[in-house]
Amino acid sequence: EYQRYWIMATGAEYFDELDAAEDLRWSSRKDAREGDLVFIYRMAPRKSVTGLYRLAHDPYFDPWTSWDGFWADLEPVCTVPDITFAQMRSDEVLSQWGVVRKQFNGTVCDPVPHSVYNRLLQLIPESLRREHELEPEELAPEAASGTFDSEAHFEEKVILPLIQGWGLNHRYQAPCRFHVGSQMHPTRVDFLVSDQRG
């Protein structure tokens, strides 16, 4: 279980609707969940993240609409001072985010990685963060280059403990064969894992 965050983009034709609405019905991803936070990005001419919403319930399917047919009702959390596209494009963290790199083209509802969420939070006034209990997410530490001296060392220190922690059976360097065209090639799989079902 972990908190999910999303960015939903809207065109200028929906700005008035967005400003007037207390609650919004919006296209969603089917893997979004009730309680997820949603950043609203307004496309040109504004080109800014302007508000935060929360999913009122899990998305529901409507086969007669577009965007894969999944919709969710959004409840407003707060309006935020504009976080502009220009700011995001020049930011060390946000400039690496996929939706910024593609200039929000084709963005309807995309996931927000925790590192991006944390950076967006830093651009929201502290008073708003406190008032709405917006807390940064804990991130896994980044491994420094050279931490592991070989692939085998990485497998021993990282992969093997994960497999054992999940209670999976495993065989290391398990022999196997695969086809390329009509030829059979012998090789090995780093880890062949299974659970009680196989």
Side-chain angles (χ1 to χ4, degrees):
E1 289 299 321
Y2 61 93
Q3 179 69 50
R4 293 177 178 89
Y5 303 95
W6 306 92
I7 183 108
M8 294 183 180
T10 180
E13 64 271 26
Y14 298 109
F15 285 6
D16 291 342
E17 180 183 336
L18 190 63
D19 290 332
E22 291 184 14
D23 297 311
L24 290 174
R25 180 175 182 254
W26 212 257
S27 53
S28 180
R29 295 273 288 263
K30 64 182 177 182
D31 48 343
R33 291 293 172 260
E34 179 180 346
D36 287 358
L37 274 179
V38 176
F39 292 88
I40 293 290
Y41 177 81
R42 298 184 191 219
M43 303 288 272
R46 193 152 173 188
K47 294 186 178 182
S48 299
V49 171
T50 62
L52 267 174
Y53 289 76
R54 195 174 298 280
L55 263 72
H57 52 74
D58 288 355
Y60 52 88
F61 182 66
D62 181 350
W64 308 110
T65 58
S66 55
W67 312 121
D68 295 329
F70 284 93
W71 292 86
D73 293 324
L74 305 177
E75 301 168 336
V77 174
C78 63
T79 300
V80 300
D82 285 16
I83 302 170
T84 67
F85 178 75
Q87 280 179 276
M88 290 187 275
R89 190 173 50 191
S90 63
D91 186 90
E92 186 178 335
V93 174
L94 301 179
S95 63
Q96 301 307 308
W97 184 19
V99 296
V100 171
R101 291 172 71 120
K102 66 179 184 178
Q103 300 182 31
F104 286 88
N105 289 326
T107 299
V108 176
C109 180
D110 278 18
V112 176
H114 286 175
S115 58
V116 169
Y117 166 75
N118 288 352
R119 181 65 186 128
L120 288 170
L121 272 193
Q122 292 173 347
L123 301 175
I124 294 173
E126 187 179 347
S127 57
L128 280 177
R129 296 195 312 258
R130 252 195 333 269
E131 180 183 349
H132 299 287
E133 299 177 352
L134 303 172
E135 297 290 334
E137 290 288 342
E138 186 174 338
L139 301 176
E142 292 185 30
S145 177
T147 301
F148 303 101
D149 54 21
S150 66
E151 181 180 344
H153 185 213
F154 174 77
E155 290 169 347
E156 175 192 350
K157 296 297 182 185
V158 177
I159 305 297
L160 188 57
L162 280 174
I163 292 171
Q164 291 170 335
W166 291 328
L168 297 171
N169 302 316
H170 73 280
R171 285 176 52 206
Y172 183 65
Q173 292 293 314
C176 69
R177 293 196 243 168
F178 69 96
H179 285 279
V180 173
S182 61
Q183 292 186 333
M184 181 75 78
H185 295 269
T187 187
R188 294 187 174 272
V189 175
D190 288 343
F191 288 94
L192 179 64
V193 297
S194 62
D195 60 15
Q196 57 272 29
R197 293 172 298 177

